[in-house]
């Protein structure tokens, strides 16, 4: 086998599904088993599709697993009365996903919703953590953008007027705004990213489901202190790669994580929330470099 064919094999992406707690979970897998595991978890309103550009590069060094949460991407969409669309239940799904695949040691990519979900997993499961990568995924109140604060207020004071305002969070204009706000070069943002998210949002029941998830997001704040203490006590090797112009999760959240973990590395990129869309190659390179440098130090 030539070196080229080995590289091609490592970079090949498989598209699979597995049942976890009676829920069908779609996931992307790449890289050879036996390499260090790296779980990539998306946020709102995206799916594992957000990692499409970096998986080939990362899979040369890692065994990549990138699942879609229930109600996102190509995973199942259970009815609200049969499935709890909460961050704690999502964490049970991810923990079950790792258990089904016999993953006992892995690195985690914590983005957006993925940050609180994976912090639930890290805090409650026996999974061995090799490395954390925070990318615009927040666990400090100073990192909450005004939009998040506004939505929490509206959910706490629901009426017809406030409900109408909240509906805008699951509409195309908002989804597109999340992708385009703060970027340096709009020509680098693939339109299929936000169009695919909106297309999938049009499925029956999805708007109501995603509003329920957004309402539950506020419950994560009660866990922030415990998660912060977990990070400080563990001192996991941690890389923080952050779109510094993000208005959803502010750069102050990245600075807070870095201050709590003196050995962590913080890199800002001149872009917005979906930093991988504009700086995917640079971020993938930073992950690979940091992983092997951190192993030398631990």
């Amino acid at each position: 086998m030539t070196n080229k064919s080995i590289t091609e094999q490592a970079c090949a992406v498989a598209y699979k599904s597995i049942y976890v707690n009676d829920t069908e979970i779609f996931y992307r897998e790449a890289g050879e088993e036996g390499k260090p595991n790296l779980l990539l978890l998306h946020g709102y309103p995206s799916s594992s599709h957000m990692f499409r550009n970096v998986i080939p590069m990362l899979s040369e060094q890692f065994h990549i697993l990138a699942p879609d949460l229930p109600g996102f991407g190509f995973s199942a969409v259970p009815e609200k009365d049969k499935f709890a669309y909460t961050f704690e239940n999502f964490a049970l799904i991810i923990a079950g996903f790792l258990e089904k695949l016999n993953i006992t040691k892995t690195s985690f990519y914590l983005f957006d919703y993925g940050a609180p979900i994976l912090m639930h997993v890290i805090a409650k499961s026996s999974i061995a953590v090799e490395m954390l990568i925070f990318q615009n995924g927040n666990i400090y109140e100073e990192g909450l953008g005004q939009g998040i604060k506004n939505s929490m207020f509206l959910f706490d004071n629901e009426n017809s007027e406030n409900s109408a305002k909240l509906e805008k969070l699951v509409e195309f204009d908002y989804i597109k705004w999340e992708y385009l706000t703060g970027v340096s070069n709009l020509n680098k943002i693939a339109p299929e990213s936000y169009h695919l998210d909106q297309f999938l949002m049009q499925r029956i029941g999805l708007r109501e489901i995603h509003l329920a998830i957004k309402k539950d997001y506020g419950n994560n704040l009660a866990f922030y202190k415990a998660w912060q203490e977990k990070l400080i006590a563990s001192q996991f090797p941690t890389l923080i790669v952050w779109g510094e112009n993000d208005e959803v999760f502010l750069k102050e959240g990245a600075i807070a994580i870095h201050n709590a973990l003196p050995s962590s590395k913080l890199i800002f990129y001149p872009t917005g929330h979906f930093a991988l869309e504009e700086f995917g190659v640079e971020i993938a390179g930073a992950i690979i470099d940091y992983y092997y440098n951190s192993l030398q130090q631990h």
Side-chain angles (χ1 to χ4, degrees), residues 224-241:
Y224 274 13
K225 183 175 176 56
W227 293 341
Q228 294 159 13
E229 291 174 349
K230 175 72 174 180
L231 287 188
I232 293 169
S234 63
Q235 293 294 313
F236 296 125
T238 300
L239 173 66
I240 308 155
V241 285

Side-chain angles (χ1 to χ4, degrees), residues 167-238:
E167 285 280 343
K168 295 183 182 299
L169 299 177
V170 292
E171 294 177 354
F172 180 69
D173 285 349
Y174 178 79
I175 291 173
K176 185 177 180 181
W177 175 88
E178 279 209 0
Y179 275 89
L180 301 186
T181 300
V183 305
S184 293
N185 186 350
L186 291 174
N187 294 328
K188 289 188 175 182
I189 311 303
E192 61 264 29
S193 56
Y194 47 86
H195 279 279
L196 176 61
D197 290 351
Q198 178 60 22
F199 173 77
L200 294 171
M201 185 71 73
Q202 299 306 310
R203 291 174 292 175
I204 295 174
L206 256 293
R207 290 166 63 92
E208 293 76 15
I209 284 170
H210 280 285
L211 284 172
I213 297 169
K214 285 190 170 297
K215 183 175 184 178
D216 187 65
Y217 184 86
N219 292 325
N220 290 313
L221 272 64
F223 295 94
Y224 274 13
K225 183 175 176 56
W227 293 341
Q228 294 159 13
E229 291 174 349
K230 175 72 174 180
L231 287 188
I232 293 169
S234 63
Q235 293 294 313
F236 296 125
T238 300

Side-chain angles (χ1 to χ4, degrees), residues 39 65 94-103 106 108 121 127:
L39 181 90
L65 295 166
I94 296 301
F97 172 80
L98 292 169
E99 184 176 355
K100 276 285 187 78
L101 295 177
N102 297 313
I103 303 296
T106 187
F108 290 111
V121 173
I127 192 84

Side-chain angles (χ1 to χ4, degrees), residues 98-154:
L98 292 169
E99 184 176 355
K100 276 285 187 78
L101 295 177
N102 297 313
I103 303 296
T104 58
K105 184 178 184 180
T106 187
S107 295
F108 290 111
Y109 190 101
L110 303 94
F111 167 75
D112 191 79
Y113 282 4
I117 292 167
L118 292 180
M119 287 307 302
H120 275 301
V121 173
I122 292 166
K124 296 180 180 179
S125 76
S126 58
I127 192 84
V129 178
E130 282 201 277
M131 172 181 66
L132 300 180
I133 305 140
F134 281 92
Q135 189 254 295
N136 298 80
N138 186 62
I139 60 167
Y140 281 85
E141 289 198 35
E142 49 263 58
L144 296 173
Q146 193 58 49
I148 296 284
K149 294 177 181 178
N150 290 344
S151 65
M152 288 192 293
F153 173 83
L154 294 173

Side-chain angles (χ1 to χ4, degrees), residues 228-267:
Q228 294 159 13
E229 291 174 349
K230 175 72 174 180
L231 287 188
I232 293 169
S234 63
Q235 293 294 313
F236 296 125
T238 300
L239 173 66
I240 308 155
V241 285
W242 208 275
E244 64 182 341
N245 302 325
D246 188 4
E247 294 184 22
V248 181
F249 295 120
L250 309 178
K251 64 182 181 181
E252 285 77 10
I255 294 169
I257 297 169
H258 182 50
N259 288 341
L261 300 169
S263 63
S264 66
K265 183 173 183 178
L266 171 60
I267 308 173

Side-chain angles (χ1 to χ4, degrees), residues 8-22:
E8 287 173 348
Q9 182 184 30
C11 294
V13 181
Y15 305 94
K16 301 182 178 182
S17 291
I18 190 172
Y19 277 87
V20 180
N21 300 346
D22 298 321

Side-chain angles (χ1 to χ4, degrees), residues 60-111:
E60 293 189 14
Q61 305 294 334
F62 297 97
H63 173 225
I64 301 294
L65 295 166
D68 289 353
L69 295 166
F72 292 80
F74 301 101
S75 285
V77 185
E79 297 177 8
K80 280 178 62 179
D81 60 348
K82 298 178 181 178
F83 183 89
Y85 283 94
T86 66
F87 285 80
E88 289 191 82
N89 197 34
F90 282 151
L92 292 176
I93 290 288
I94 296 301
F97 172 80
L98 292 169
E99 184 176 355
K100 276 285 187 78
L101 295 177
N102 297 313
I103 303 296
T104 58
K105 184 178 184 180
T106 187
S107 295
F108 290 111
Y109 190 101
L110 303 94
F111 167 75

Side-chain angles (χ1 to χ4, degrees), residues 44-60:
Y44 177 83
S46 57
S47 65
S48 58
H49 178 260
M50 67 170 281
F51 300 110
R52 67 199 180 280
N53 295 327
V54 299
I55 286 176
M57 185 174 175
L58 290 171
S59 65
E60 293 189 14

